[in-house]
Amino acid sequence: MSDMQETNVVENESVKAEEVKEVLPLDPDALLEVRNLKKYFPVETDFFGRTTKYLKAVDDVSFKIKEGSTLGIVGESGCGKTTLGRTILRLHPATSGEIYFDGKDINTLNTKEMNALRPSMQIIFQDPYSSLSPRMPIGEIIGEAVLEHNLVPKTELKAYVLDIMKKCGLPYHYYDRYPHEFSGGQRQRICIATALALQPKFVVCDEPVSALDVSIQAQIINLLRDLQKEMGLTYIFISHDLSVVEHISDYVGVMYLGSMVEYGSTDDIFNNPMHPYTEALFSAVPVPDPNVKMNRIILIGDIPSPINAPTGCKFHTRCERCMEICKSVAPKFKDYGNGHKVACHLYPQED
């Protein structure tokens, strides 16, 4: 296939998907439902400015989250976890697919409608310091968006911000201090307070504890769980740390090269991993017992480029259990009971 033919295929992909897509009813229990979401970034153009290559950061991902629950997203660096979270919040425009939040497809909303919905959908960033303005005291940082969205009268703003700070474990005398005066854990609490000040229903936690010490990580995780119970929050929790994901998540999605290869309840995923990639990830988790012998699964080779992903199953180039069909036919993402879904030819593919 020539570069031009490849470009035409990619550009028309979303149109073809619309033609064959079944109109399915929404799950009434799901606050967020994502269907066939794709996010492609153009990386190369021809002489006429037409895109000839795309980086497929998120490639046909579908899942749903019940209100008040937590979905953990795991996978290697570069697999599309952060892009998935930002595309769901429409910080990146989706290439194709549907994102239903509280019954609304946010891809169809205009700017005014999306701005009205923004307070309900928030994000906690990985690096707390770079997400805080160094020229503003934290009282102003937390209250800035509250004023912008007119959530409380200006006369009540300080009392409101102090109440949010208290919920997040920040003493009232921190109100006039600047971000550089705080430790990493305190800055992350400020970021959490900034997100929660807008009274959201849904929060994307993008590796919120990866830059913190282990003891501080536990404090932040427990804070997030307490706030979830108190405020009825729904989380997507993105992390490399599988032990943290197991502790905080109700459901787990495993991503590889832009696609979700396994999804299910936390108990099902950790007690019965079905995909070879999931098994390899879990084998790398250290066990705090010197008498336990680890059966480490070593993956051969590096993760392929999302620009030129392998045909068939994307994982076949590193899989010890690869079969001939894996090299040419992409496996279906199927439910094998109790909502445990996996995309792998090791399991029956017939409907």
Side-chain angles (χ1 to χ4, degrees), residues 188-206:
Q188 197 58 280
R189 288 176 185 268
I190 296 168
C191 292
I192 293 170
T194 304
L196 298 188
L198 294 174
Q199 303 170 10
K201 292 182 179 180
F202 169 66
V203 182
V204 173
C205 304
D206 185 10

Side-chain angles (χ1 to χ4, degrees), residues 129-193:
Y129 190 60
S130 64
S131 60
L132 299 172
S133 171
R135 303 189 180 192
M136 296 172 64
I138 69 163
E140 288 186 25
I141 291 173
I142 297 170
E144 184 180 26
V146 177
L147 272 182
E148 179 68 26
H149 290 280
N150 298 312
L151 295 183
V152 297
K154 195 170 183 179
T155 55
E156 301 174 15
L157 178 63
K158 184 171 182 177
Y160 178 81
V161 170
L162 289 173
D163 181 60
I164 293 293
M165 289 172 57
K166 183 179 178 181
K167 288 180 179 178
C168 296
L170 296 166
Y172 72 92
H173 59 270
Y174 286 0
Y175 186 89
D176 293 316
R177 293 189 181 180
Y178 290 82
H180 71 270
E181 300 180 67
F182 297 98
S183 66
Q186 290 170 328
R187 289 173 190 155
Q188 197 58 280
R189 288 176 185 268
I190 296 168
C191 292
I192 293 170

Side-chain angles (χ1 to χ4, degrees), residues 111-120 149:
T111 302
K112 184 177 180 181
E113 292 169 331
M114 193 63 211
N115 286 341
L117 192 64
R118 286 285 181 204
S120 297
H149 290 280

Side-chain angles (χ1 to χ4, degrees), residues 6 10 38-44 51-59 78-80 83 95 257-258 304-309 314:
E6 181 181 350
V10 173
K38 299 180 181 180
K39 177 57 188 175
Y40 297 171
F41 294 98
V43 293
E44 189 174 296
T51 304
T52 56
K53 285 188 179 180
Y54 291 84
L55 188 153
K56 298 182 178 182
V58 178
D59 195 14
C79 71
T83 304
T95 301
L257 214 62
S305 168
I307 300 173
N308 296 304
K314 294 180 179 180

Side-chain angles (χ1 to χ4, degrees), residues 35-81:
R35 296 181 177 178
N36 307 111
L37 183 63
K38 299 180 181 180
K39 177 57 188 175
Y40 297 171
F41 294 98
V43 293
E44 189 174 296
T45 58
D46 62 14
F47 178 78
F48 299 100
R50 292 172 296 195
T51 304
T52 56
K53 285 188 179 180
Y54 291 84
L55 188 153
K56 298 182 178 182
V58 178
D59 195 14
D60 201 19
V61 170
S62 300
F63 62 86
K64 52 190 174 184
I65 312 175
K66 292 183 179 179
E67 188 167 5
S69 63
T70 301
L71 169 64
I73 301 291
V74 300
E76 293 172 288
S77 295
C79 71
K81 303 186 298 296

Side-chain angles (χ1 to χ4, degrees), residues 13 19 81 94 97 113 134 158 164 209-210 214 259 266 276 346:
E13 198 168 25
E19 293 172 355
K81 303 186 298 296
E113 292 169 331
K158 184 171 182 177
I164 293 293
V209 297
S210 63
V214 174
S259 300
T266 302
L346 293 173

